[in-house]
Amino acid sequence: MRQLLVVSDMLSRLCAGVARLGSWLILPLILVIVYDVVTRKIVFIQQWVMNSWLYEYISPTKLQEAEWHLHAMIFLMAYALAYLNSAHVRVDLWREKQSERRRGWVELICILIFALPFCGVLVYEAWQFVMNAYVQGEGSSALTGIPHRWVIKSFLLLGVSLLVLALLATLARLVIFLFGPQALRPEALARLGMVQQPADENARDSAEVQ
């Protein structure tokens, strides 16, 4: 059981590492948005770019598509960590009033019956999505848009795969919390933000830091 907890921590750190890497994409996203806004207001800059060799790389169409792509990449790289930290929205009045063990059972059942099978379908479809774009040489529908759409589409496959790892890490922790040795159950619970009562948020934050 201890090894299972160690493996779950490794998967969690992998998801956190990818999310931190993705967070750096906020900087180019800010730069693209600022540049796009400024050049719309200062027309002579836009005209100069359009008449120079830079237009091939920073045309308005490419910049707008880059904004969409960067938003998607940031979201997909951080989604698994958001689940692990229970940062996504949950609207379930019945569940909020239940004990930690009952919450754990609900989470375990939902992961096994709904989440993992659904993510399995998503992984398969995302792989087909990427391969079709690669084989067909799919690019932007705009003549001056960003080519090689398979690159951005591959982040869908990455994001869903990371979510599967996050679900497996949570599943391992739930097994320890519900069925494992009494000594390990508090450690597993400290890593289960979606199961803890609101009063245990400080313990959850400490566990994530460790």
Side-chain angles (χ1 to χ4, degrees), residues 88-136:
H88 61 297
V89 177
R90 286 177 180 263
V91 183
D92 189 342
L93 297 178
W94 176 85
R95 181 182 174 280
E96 293 303 313
K97 300 177 182 178
Q98 305 307 310
S99 66
E100 291 172 338
R101 288 193 65 82
R102 188 166 293 179
R103 287 184 181 191
W105 274 107
V106 170
E107 198 75 23
L108 179 70
I109 292 170
C110 288
I111 287 175
L112 291 175
I113 296 179
F114 300 110
L116 283 176
F118 180 67
C119 285
V121 173
L122 282 181
V123 168
Y124 174 78
E125 292 297 333
W127 172 256
Q128 297 297 321
F129 196 50
V130 175
M131 289 305 299
N132 288 340
Y134 178 77
V135 171
Q136 295 172 9

Side-chain angles (χ1 to χ4, degrees):
M1 284 294 186
R2 170 65 67 179
Q3 291 300 317
L4 193 60
L5 194 60
V6 170
V7 171
S8 74
D9 289 343
M10 291 174 60
L11 295 178
S12 180
R13 284 195 293 271
L14 175 60
C15 293
V18 174
R20 280 193 291 270
L21 183 63
S23 68
W24 284 98
L25 294 176
I26 293 175
L27 295 179
L29 176 60
I30 292 172
L31 292 175
V32 168
I33 293 174
V34 169
Y35 175 83
D36 193 22
V37 171
V38 169
T39 54
R40 285 175 185 270
K41 299 299 181 181
I42 306 177
V43 181
F44 78 87
I45 296 179
Q46 190 177 67
Q47 292 295 327
W48 178 80
V49 170
M50 290 178 66
N51 295 320
S52 71
W53 59 272
L54 291 172
Y55 184 74
E56 184 179 350
Y57 302 98
I58 54 174
S59 67
T61 304
K62 279 190 171 69
L63 291 177
Q64 289 175 11
E65 291 186 358
E67 290 179 31
W68 310 333
H69 295 345
L70 287 169
H71 272 111
M73 291 162 67
I74 293 169
F75 168 79
L76 290 167
M77 294 175 76
Y79 186 65
L81 182 62
Y83 171 72
L84 286 170
N85 289 346
S86 194
H88 61 297
V89 177
R90 286 177 180 263
V91 183
D92 189 342
L93 297 178
W94 176 85
R95 181 182 174 280
E96 293 303 313
K97 300 177 182 178
Q98 305 307 310
S99 66
E100 291 172 338
R101 288 193 65 82
R102 188 166 293 179
R103 287 184 181 191
W105 274 107
V106 170
E107 198 75 23
L108 179 70
I109 292 170
C110 288
I111 287 175
L112 291 175
I113 296 179
F114 300 110
L116 283 176
F118 180 67
C119 285
V121 173
L122 282 181
V123 168
Y124 174 78
E125 292 297 333
W127 172 256
Q128 297 297 321
F129 196 50
V130 175
M131 289 305 299
N132 288 340
Y134 178 77
V135 171
Q136 295 172 9
E138 182 183 349
S140 173
S141 57
L143 293 177
T144 58
I146 298 177
H148 310 304
R149 276 283 175 85
W150 69 270
V151 175
I152 181 60
K153 289 186 175 183
S154 66
F155 279 87
L156 176 60
L157 179 60
L158 173 64
V160 177
S161 299
L162 288 171
L163 181 57
V164 170
L165 296 182
L167 289 169
L168 292 175
T170 302
L171 186 63
R173 293 166 177 177
L174 286 168
V175 168
I176 297 171
F177 173 58
L178 296 172
F179 310 108
Q182 196 67 36
L184 286 180
R185 291 184 183 183
E187 292 187 47
L189 177 61
R191 294 162 168 79
L192 291 169
M194 70 291 295
V195 171
Q196 295 174 40
Q197 298 288 356
D200 295 328
E201 287 183 354
N202 292 332
R204 179 186 65 196
D205 294 340
S206 299
E208 291 298 334
V209 170
Q210 293 175 359

